Amino acid sequence: MDANDSQSSGGANGETARRPAWDAVDADREWWREAVVYQIYPRSFFDSDGDGVGDLPGVEAKLEYLDALGVDVVWLNPVYDSPNADNGYDIRDYRAIMDEFGTMDDFDRLLAGLHDRDIRLIMDLVVNHTSDEHEWFRRSRESKDSEFRDFYIWRDGRGDGPGGKGEPPNNWESAFGGSAWTYDERTEQYYLHLFDEKQPDLNWENPEVRERIYDMMTWWLDEGIDGFRMDVIDLISKADGLPDGDPDSGWTGAKHFMTGPNAHDYVAEMYEEVLAGRDVMTVGEMPGATVEEAQRYLLPDGDGLDMIFHFEHVSLDYGESGDRWTVGEFPLVEFKQVMTKWQEGLHGEGWNSVYLGNHDWPRMVSRFGDDGLYRIESAKMLATMLFTLRGTPYVYQGDEIGMTNFPFERESQIRDVSAKNFVERKREQGMAMEDILELVSHRGRDNARTPMQWSGDEHAGFTDGEPWMPVNPNYDAVNVADATAREDSIWNYYRELIRFRESTPVAIYGDYELLLPDDPDVYAYLRTLGDDRLLAVLNFSEATPTFSLPQSVEYEDAECVLHNYAVDAEGPRSFEMRPYEARVYELD
């Protein structure tokens, strides 16, 4: 139990909220706007058969848990057949289930079980690249004359180079480090992979590639799924001629493959060929997206996607080099500017996805809150923000109980290919392993992939066998069994937030207005829908700043409807905030 656990209140209080004013909604109501999405990383969720790997029957076994939490949509990370070079993001067969995860019958039962509980399912769509073991690539590399050769991006090397193979065709870097090109001895050409060498990029310029992808998407939708989360979908188009990138610009080459020349055309075509006329949800992961690009991708007037994941707000605490493997300070003032830019920029021009973490990022409470003394308070504060901004909130498994980063002590504990490559590079550069592991503990994707902590039993109740990666040692204090039993837990606070949002139109559709933009500790904003107003006040620090509501904000009465500390009847005009405190008021 955290040192100040007893200080936390019993959670939210939405019981006396005014009657929902849905008639004030000035946008077309859509279920995906009003939904709460829960992301499941199946390998680490729950193991049903004792082999140490989470699986589809394990997810099915926890359907009552999801139902009790109150979520509306499950986003399932890849469960397709894969050799697991990148934990399922290297797909060998798009229409088969990975053996470790189960069978198509298991998938069908899970889907039916979710639908029986009015929970929709969206699948990860990974179509920038495949596995190098996919049939298309195996046949592509057989010869330069293969009918599948043009399914991928092959090029001759530059110059003579070692062994006559030449240098890579350009200087683009893989997201996981090193060159984005691998030489194939059999056909004496290089192939492009923006990620691991076992993840060759598909050639979207080939219409047959696009047709086969659209057929596969249609097949899954006909199976009954409810949409897609589209992995790095803004990388599918590469610049003509594949020119060199600026080596001092961050990810070398990104200018030439983030929203390339035909990306919008391809997404619009995908919408017309597959998605138009279907009541489904789509969210595109777009590492390089700006607000202006997002507007072009999104409904109502863009290419047809419902929302995107941008990376701008989750890249602010990088070090001076802008590298994700560096650690800088978290700049709240800049964070507020970024969040406000997206809240205002997509108003009427699209829809936001609201998230602070997922399987690709460290745990949000360790990164944006305090995973020590104020773990519970800061976890509730961050959740309050997720559920009171304009957009669809995403909850990553374990965040609802305040799971934290893993304290890496040995290289053998690392599983992620990106982190393994980082360790190897830094070791070659002479960095001490102690310093390397400290960075992995701050930044590694494995932080989010440790097994779900269900109980204080061995292996956190995740498996009866040996888990595929180590369980966080704090599982005896941070687990579902404890959280669901305590009225004042993070888990129960999430339940109340979900109930509050689904019954409060202004929390979903209300206009957004930032207050106190230069305050270094407090993030405060108004949400307004017709006569309904919410005031959110969030302390992002362990300090005790005094919040003063600007005189321009008038009200006659105020009721605190969400809070993570006990509060008295004082109004929001001015009060001293406690560490990581969150309050949401209804203003009359």
Side-chain angles (χ1 to χ4, degrees):
M1 180 176 294
D2 287 8
N4 66 340
D5 187 17
S6 61
Q7 297 177 17
S8 294
S9 78
N13 173 19
E15 295 178 359
T16 59
R18 289 172 294 194
R19 185 174 179 178
W22 291 108
D23 56 351
V25 175
D26 61 0
D28 293 332
R29 290 183 62 181
E30 299 282 359
W31 63 263
W32 43 265
R33 288 178 173 148
E34 299 172 17
V36 172
V37 182
Y38 187 89
Q39 181 189 352
I40 290 179
Y41 194 73
R43 180 169 292 274
S44 296
F45 193 61
F46 184 66
D47 172 25
S48 71
D49 58 10
D51 66 356
V53 176
D55 46 42
L56 293 176
V59 179
E60 184 183 7
K62 298 298 183 179
L63 289 181
E64 291 305 319
Y65 172 80
L66 300 174
D67 198 28
L69 186 59
V71 300
D72 306 292
V73 178
V74 163
W75 157 23
L76 194 64
N77 283 110
V79 294
Y80 314 98
D81 178 41
S82 167
N84 273 317
D86 185 23
N87 284 7
Y89 282 90
D90 49 316
I91 296 172
R92 184 165 45 203
D93 186 342
Y94 287 105
R95 305 192 193 202
I97 300 297
M98 192 186 310
D99 288 342
E100 288 179 308
F101 290 163
T103 66
M104 275 302 299
D105 286 342
D106 293 324
F107 178 86
D108 290 341
R109 284 196 302 273
L110 172 60
L111 181 61
L114 287 165
H115 286 173
D116 286 346
R117 292 163 177 81
D118 294 323
I119 301 174
R120 292 176 166 93
L121 177 69
I122 64 172
M123 299 278 283
D124 238 309
L125 180 75
V126 187
V127 290
N128 174 71
H129 48 266
T130 68
S131 167
D132 66 345
E133 297 182 24
H134 194 289
E135 179 189 9
W136 299 345
F137 190 74
R138 287 191 289 106
R139 296 182 65 178
S140 178
R141 75 192 314 176
E142 286 177 351
S143 78
K144 293 180 181 179
D145 298 324
S146 168
E147 62 181 306
F148 287 86
R149 189 67 171 180
D150 198 36
F151 274 45
Y152 297 86
I153 300 171
W154 294 91
R155 294 291 186 273
D156 291 327
R158 295 194 291 191
D160 294 332
K165 63 184 181 183
E167 297 295 335
N170 63 28
N171 69 345
W172 294 1
E173 290 180 336
S174 161
F176 296 158
S179 175
W181 297 91
T182 289
Y183 187 73
D184 181 66
E185 297 284 352
R186 182 169 183 175
T187 56
E188 298 181 330
Q189 280 190 315
Y190 286 86
Y191 65 86
L192 178 68
H193 53 88
L194 293 181
F195 295 90
D196 189 70
E197 67 178 354
K198 289 186 67 64
Q199 295 170 286
D201 278 43
L202 286 162
N203 177 19
W204 273 70
E205 291 186 9
N206 183 342
E208 188 175 353
V209 168
R210 303 200 301 274
E211 182 180 350
R212 291 191 182 215
I213 289 170
Y214 303 156
D215 285 347
M216 175 269 293
M217 294 173 65
T218 300
W219 185 84
W220 277 105
L221 291 170
D222 289 346
E223 282 286 304
I225 71 167
D226 303 289
F228 296 103
R229 176 265 186 186
M230 301 177 179
D231 187 65
V232 293
I233 198 65
D234 65 336
L235 307 188
I236 57 178
S237 175
K238 281 69 173 178
D240 294 341
L242 308 182
D244 278 345
D246 180 356
D248 298 320
S249 62
W251 188 359
T252 302
K255 175 183 177 181
H256 303 300
F257 52 74
M258 285 183 174
T259 302
N262 298 311
H264 287 289
D265 292 338
Y266 296 155
V267 172
E269 180 183 74
M270 175 191 294
Y271 177 78
E272 291 298 329
E273 294 294 324
V274 180
L275 304 168
R278 291 182 182 264
D279 185 23
V280 296
M281 169 182 168
T282 53
V283 52
E285 183 196 32
M286 299 190 178
T290 63
V291 171
E292 292 73 24
E293 287 290 357
Q295 292 171 352
R296 291 186 60 195
Y297 279 115
L298 298 176
L299 293 169
D301 300 319
D303 303 325
L305 299 184
D306 296 329
M307 63 192 96
I308 73 162
F309 291 131
H310 70 86
F311 286 19
E312 195 170 355
H313 65 306
V314 290
S315 305
L316 294 174
D317 61 347
Y318 290 0
E320 292 183 2
S321 67
D323 185 341
R324 72 168 291 160
W325 292 108
T326 58
V327 181
E329 295 295 323
F330 173 62
L332 181 64
V333 170
E334 190 175 353
F335 178 82
K336 292 188 289 186
Q337 292 171 350
V338 169
M339 299 302 286
T340 299
K341 177 173 65 175
W342 283 87
Q343 288 284 298
E344 295 177 348
L346 292 189
H347 189 85
E349 301 289 340
W351 191 251
N352 276 288
S353 56
V354 186
Y355 78 101
L356 287 174
N358 56 39
H359 66 292
D360 278 336
W361 302 101
R363 284 288 176 180
M364 73 174 192
V365 71
S366 295
R367 190 178 187 191
F368 301 108
D370 179 341
D371 61 10
L373 184 64
Y374 298 107
R375 181 184 67 87
I376 290 177
E377 289 78 7
S378 63
K380 291 180 178 181
M381 182 275 292
L382 295 170
T384 306
M385 188 196 79
L386 291 178
F387 283 86
T388 56
L389 286 173
R390 182 182 173 93
T392 299
Y394 287 75
V395 179
Y396 181 65
Q397 67 182 46
D399 284 345
E400 75 276 19
I401 59 171
M403 284 180 62
T404 65
N405 281 356
F406 183 86
F408 289 91
E409 297 177 342
R410 298 179 302 280
E411 184 179 354
S412 61
Q413 295 172 319
I414 298 171
R415 299 291 182 271
D416 174 36
V417 61
S418 176
K420 287 181 177 180
N421 289 349
F422 169 74
V423 170
E424 186 61 31
R425 292 197 307 275
K426 291 303 178 183
R427 181 164 43 213
E428 291 176 355
Q429 295 169 12
M431 181 181 284
M433 182 56 66
E434 179 182 357
D435 295 333
I436 296 173
L437 290 174
E438 183 177 357
L439 287 172
V440 171
S441 296
H442 277 290
R443 288 291 189 232
R445 300 192 299 180
D446 281 336
N447 281 302
R449 301 176 182 187
T450 57
M452 182 73 175
Q453 295 163 205
W454 293 103
S455 72
D457 297 335
E458 187 179 16
H459 305 316
F462 164 72
T463 181
D464 292 333
E466 186 66 25
W468 75 280
M469 74 174 302
V471 175
N472 195 307
N474 65 7
Y475 72 88
D476 57 338
V478 182
N479 61 70
V480 169
D482 176 71
T484 54
R486 287 191 296 108
E487 183 180 353
D488 66 346
S489 69
I490 300 168
W491 188 83
N492 273 306
Y493 191 75
Y494 266 83
R495 291 184 75 201
E496 293 299 328
L497 286 170
I498 292 171
R499 292 171 180 168
F500 175 81
R501 183 178 183 274
E502 71 182 5
S503 62
T504 311
V506 63
I508 303 171
Y509 292 108
D511 294 345
Y512 165 96
E513 178 186 351
L514 176 66
L515 305 176
L516 308 177
D518 297 322
D519 192 301
D521 297 312
V522 176
Y523 186 9
Y525 46 89
L526 284 172
R527 303 290 312 281
T528 304
L529 183 66
D531 295 330
D532 291 346
R533 289 188 298 164
L534 291 179
L535 167 67
V537 186
L538 312 170
N539 180 9
F540 268 74
S541 75
E542 62 181 30
T544 56
T546 297
F547 169 76
S548 296
L549 185 67
Q551 291 300 316
S552 59
V553 180
E554 299 179 355
Y555 68 93
E556 295 181 1
D557 192 19
E559 179 183 0
C560 190
V561 292
L562 296 169
H563 48 87
N564 63 346
Y565 284 87
V567 296
D568 55 28
E570 66 179 323
R573 184 57 68 187
S574 181
F575 57 89
E576 182 177 89
M577 301 197 75
R578 288 157 285 192
Y580 296 99
E581 184 170 11
R583 299 190 192 186
V584 177
Y585 289 90
E586 284 187 341
L587 302 180
D588 285 326

